[in-house]
Amino acid sequence: MNRDEIIEKINGFLVDEFEVEPEVIEPEANLKETLDLDSLDYVDLVVEIESNFGFKVNPEDFVGINTFQDFYDYVIQKAEAA
């Protein structure tokens, strides 16, 4: 799976699972604010990542993730290493 396919897959499950409009998903947009994430939403997000990309997510990995681009980069790096 290449970078564009990973980003497309991420955006697809964000739209489906978090009921956000595709137009608001921009690389520099704030992930937490745009998706209106609370602590339970983060659990759902971890489950989506693990089931879609097949790697284990550590909660502390989210500390440095602020934007969608940060999130994409994290998933791409982990998916390539898996």
Side-chain angles (χ1 to χ4, degrees):
M1 192 177 299
N2 70 36
R3 181 179 187 84
D4 291 336
E5 291 169 330
I6 291 172
I7 291 172
E8 185 177 318
K9 190 170 192 174
I10 290 169
N11 289 349
F13 73 68
L14 292 176
V15 168
D16 291 343
E17 296 299 321
F18 294 95
E19 300 174 354
V20 64
E21 295 298 321
E23 306 83 48
V24 301
I25 301 176
E26 294 289 332
E28 297 309 314
N30 184 285
L31 182 74
K32 182 178 179 183
E33 291 174 7
T34 303
L35 298 180
D36 193 27
L37 298 177
D38 62 23
S39 58
L40 291 177
D41 292 326
Y42 275 108
V43 172
D44 292 339
L45 187 56
V46 167
V47 169
E48 285 297 321
I49 295 167
E50 291 177 350
S51 65
N52 279 283
F53 296 102
F55 64 84
K56 185 80 173 135
V57 175
N58 297 313
E60 59 271 10
D61 292 345
F62 278 91
V63 172
I65 296 175
N66 296 307
T67 66
F68 284 93
Q69 188 63 57
D70 295 337
F71 184 59
Y72 298 151
D73 292 343
Y74 167 77
V75 174
I76 290 165
Q77 177 189 16
K78 293 291 239 175
E80 288 175 349

